[in-house]
Amino acid sequence: MATTDDATTATTTRIKDHHEQQDHDNTITKLLQKEGLHPAIALGLTTALLAHGAILLSLPPVLRQRGAPFLPTASKGLNTMFHEIRNQPVIMEGMKTNRKLLFLDLGSGDGRVVFRAAREGLFFKSIGVEINPVLHVWANMRRGIQWNRYWSTTDFLMRDLWTVDLSNADVVAVYGLHPIMGKLGNKMEKELKQGCVVGEYGHKSQPSTYSIQPPAD
């Protein structure tokens, strides 16, 4: 008899606990429906969705060997690249004469290389070229949020890098993905002016820079 009473009591307790848990869950659901997601959670989810969308949209140009995947560039690599850019003769001469220099990043992604170029204080304009619409919007959002710092010194174009005229650039930065570098090298050789500095970053442990030299006689 005692065993039956214990079983009944245990069953009653479980039913009570179940109802209490349901009431608790219903209360949380009502609060979420009323208040919405916490701003930090909403921001995190939005950022994650943007990142995944950016990566997916970067794949078609890669598969067609017309672009590079979206991979954020490390600050250490940029430090090295811009240090080398500063030491190029055309840049040093431009700094002495206050000549307006134009920086162009081919495949600018989320804009971090363009913003870094603007912070260097070497260029009157730093421009990013990006065909991925998610990354283009992302970069422009960052530009707009910090408009007092970047609005007048940066710009972003949603263009195919293969259609962009490179002839006015003083410095061109490119994520050096091997499958496209041969074709892109031919384009740069034809369009870049003498003395233009090219900075390659991303696929190497150390970025490299070089300047366009006049053709050999």
Side-chain angles (χ1 to χ4, degrees):
M1 189 70 177
T3 302
T4 302
D5 290 341
D6 290 342
T8 302
T9 301
T11 301
T12 303
T13 301
R14 284 197 295 271
I15 294 173
K16 182 180 178 182
D17 291 342
H18 176 69
H19 286 315
E20 288 178 350
Q21 183 63 43
Q22 281 189 321
D23 291 340
H24 177 69
D25 292 344
N26 290 337
T27 301
I28 293 176
T29 301
K30 289 178 181 178
L31 284 172
L32 288 174
Q33 290 173 343
K34 181 180 180 181
E35 302 295 337
L37 286 174
H38 189 280
I41 297 175
L43 179 61
L45 290 173
T46 301
T47 302
L49 288 172
L50 282 173
H52 281 82
I55 292 170
L56 289 174
L57 287 174
S58 72
L59 292 179
V62 175
L63 296 175
R64 297 197 304 269
Q65 295 189 358
R66 293 182 61 83
F70 171 54
L71 297 171
T73 306
S75 297
K76 185 177 180 180
L78 292 183
N79 292 341
T80 302
M81 185 179 77
F82 280 104
H83 175 73
E84 293 183 2
I85 287 173
R86 280 183 174 273
N87 291 325
Q88 292 291 331
V90 67
I91 302 301
M92 296 175 70
E93 183 64 26
M95 292 169 63
K96 290 179 182 178
T97 60
N98 293 320
R99 185 164 66 87
K100 291 184 176 180
L101 300 174
L102 176 64
F103 179 91
L104 191 62
D105 184 21
L106 301 179
S108 53
D110 61 3
R112 67 183 62 195
V113 177
V114 174
F115 294 132
R116 173 59 187 271
R119 293 197 299 273
E120 289 291 311
L122 299 173
F123 312 102
F124 85 97
K125 202 77 168 182
S126 300
I127 299 175
V129 178
E130 177 58 59
I131 197 172
N132 187 320
V134 174
L135 292 172
H136 176 72
V137 170
W138 191 344
N140 273 297
M141 286 175 60
R142 295 180 64 185
R143 180 179 179 232
I145 290 171
Q146 301 186 71
W147 64 270
N148 59 331
R149 188 177 189 184
Y150 294 125
W151 195 260
S152 64
T153 57
T154 65
D155 201 1
F156 293 95
L157 308 176
M158 195 171 75
R159 298 271 300 278
D160 186 333
L161 64 87
W162 303 103
T163 67
V164 175
D165 180 10
L166 308 178
S167 60
N168 292 321
D170 296 289
V171 177
V172 172
V174 59
Y175 187 96
L177 186 67
H178 178 71
I180 69 169
M181 288 310 295
K183 183 179 178 181
L184 186 57
N186 292 334
K187 175 179 173 64
M188 291 192 293
E189 185 178 354
K190 291 178 181 178
E191 298 182 20
L192 294 179
K193 60 189 176 184
Q194 180 182 334
C196 179
V197 177
V198 178
E200 295 181 18
Y201 62 91
H203 77 296
K204 297 180 179 179
S205 57
Q206 290 293 327
S208 64
T209 59
Y210 58 91
S211 61
I212 302 299
Q213 302 297 322
D217 294 334

